[in-house]
């Protein structure tokens, strides 16, 4: 379910995943979702440069901020709350969640505006104890403009850790776990290649959007700030 709140000069997107399942994901305990987080601690801001292969000059900076909210204020009670903000839409805040624990790391990607299509792709997801796993999700037709809102679509996911690879990053050369994943449904097949490092999380996310065309999220910077207790502050104060 998607909730939209309109404020003067502000748009706040809160995305709820009640219709989304991922049954093989081990979620956090609702009492304290953040206590075992090593990367996504409240007050952490993570910056990604979103690079479009066909138009690299249109790079968008996407900022992921880890929030510090009370349980009743969260969009998902068993997830760490995060807010996405965007350099190309300064009045837009997308509020959603991630799961980080000793079993798995899983992130809702941004899914508003031009990133709406990412709902059909595998979410960034890593299991720490296996190199191959499967999952699934059911979404509503409202995610696809040409489909009736009442229609339900099942997405089946396959993930496989294929290799360890060193890549150059702003943090130096990092040896990452490369995960090839795909989503299969009546709408087609959608592929994601992710690069994970235990100290930084996902340092690169490569979405295969068409033949020989990609969209890359590159991790460029991590900051620590005072934990944000009011998501609107991300828009008022800026990153």
């Amino acid at each position: 379910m998607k909730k939209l709140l309109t404020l003067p000069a502000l748009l706040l997107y809160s995305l709820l995943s009640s219709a989304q399942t991922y049954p093989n994901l081990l979620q956090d305990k609702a009492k304290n979702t953040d206590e075992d987080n090593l990367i996504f601690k409240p007050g952490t801001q993570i910056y990604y440069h979103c690079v479009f292969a066909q138009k690299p000059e249109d790079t968008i900076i996407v900022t992921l901020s880890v929030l510090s909210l009370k349980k009743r204020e969260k969009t998902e009670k068993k997830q760490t709350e995060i807010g996405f903000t965007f350099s190309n839409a300064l009045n837009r805040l997308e509020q959603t969640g991630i799961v980080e624990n000793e079993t798995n790391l899983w992130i809702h990607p941004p899914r508003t505006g031009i990133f709406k299509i990412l709902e059909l792709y595998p979410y960034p997801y890593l299991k720490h104890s296996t190199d191959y796993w499967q999952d699934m999700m059911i979404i509503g037709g409202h995610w696809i403009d040409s489909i009736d809102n009442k229609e339900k679509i099942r997405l089946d996911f396959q993930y496989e850790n294929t290799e360890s690879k060193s890549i150059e990053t702003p943090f130096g050369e990092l040896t990452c776990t490369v995960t090839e994943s795909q989503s299969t449904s009546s709408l087609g097949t959608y592929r994601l290649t992710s690069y994970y490092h235990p100290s930084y999380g996902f340092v690169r996310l490569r979405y295969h959007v068409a033949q020989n065309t990609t969209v890359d999220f590159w991790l460029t910077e991590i900051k620590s700030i005072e934990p944000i207790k009011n998501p609107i502050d991300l828009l008022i104060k800026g990153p």
Side-chain angles (χ1 to χ4, degrees), residues 73-165:
E73 299 171 329
K74 291 188 171 187
T75 57
E76 280 292 345
K77 308 307 180 189
K78 294 184 178 182
Q79 298 177 15
T80 294
E81 196 80 3
I82 62 173
F84 285 112
T85 49
F86 310 87
S87 64
N88 68 323
L90 299 180
N91 65 340
R92 190 167 85 233
L93 166 64
E94 184 178 333
Q95 194 174 324
T96 185
I98 67 103
V99 175
E100 181 188 5
N101 53 47
E102 62 182 10
T103 299
N104 41 229
L105 174 63
W106 178 90
I107 301 179
H108 275 103
R111 292 163 295 147
T112 55
I114 64 171
F115 299 117
K116 184 177 180 180
I117 189 65
L118 298 187
E119 179 70 1
L120 300 181
Y121 282 80
Y123 286 7
Y125 187 11
L126 185 87
K127 290 281 190 184
H128 295 301
S129 61
T130 183
D131 286 330
Y132 178 81
W133 64 101
Q134 297 177 316
D135 230 310
M136 59 82 66
M137 178 169 71
I138 296 174
I139 64 172
H142 62 280
W143 289 102
I144 309 299
D145 294 337
S146 60
I147 293 180
D148 189 287
N149 284 355
K150 296 180 180 180
E151 185 171 340
K152 300 298 182 182
I153 304 163
R154 174 175 171 135
L155 309 177
D156 288 294
F157 305 120
Q158 293 183 340
Y159 294 82
E160 184 176 7
N161 297 334
T162 57
E163 62 177 325
S164 292
K165 185 175 183 178

Side-chain angles (χ1 to χ4, degrees), residues 167-198:
I167 62 173
E168 289 292 337
T169 77
F171 310 96
E173 185 175 299
L174 300 178
T175 301
C176 300
T177 299
V178 180
T179 305
E180 298 288 352
S181 55
Q182 70 175 27
S183 166
T184 305
S185 70
S186 59
L187 301 174
T189 299
Y190 298 82
R191 294 172 48 234
L192 166 67
T193 303
S194 58
Y195 296 75
Y196 166 84
H197 187 275

Side-chain angles (χ1 to χ4, degrees), residues 28 36 55 57 65 139 150 164 183 188 209 217 223:
D28 291 322
D36 56 356
K55 292 186 176 181
E57 68 275 11
S65 300
I139 64 172
K150 296 180 180 180
S164 292
S183 166
V209 297
F217 284 74
K223 290 183 180 179

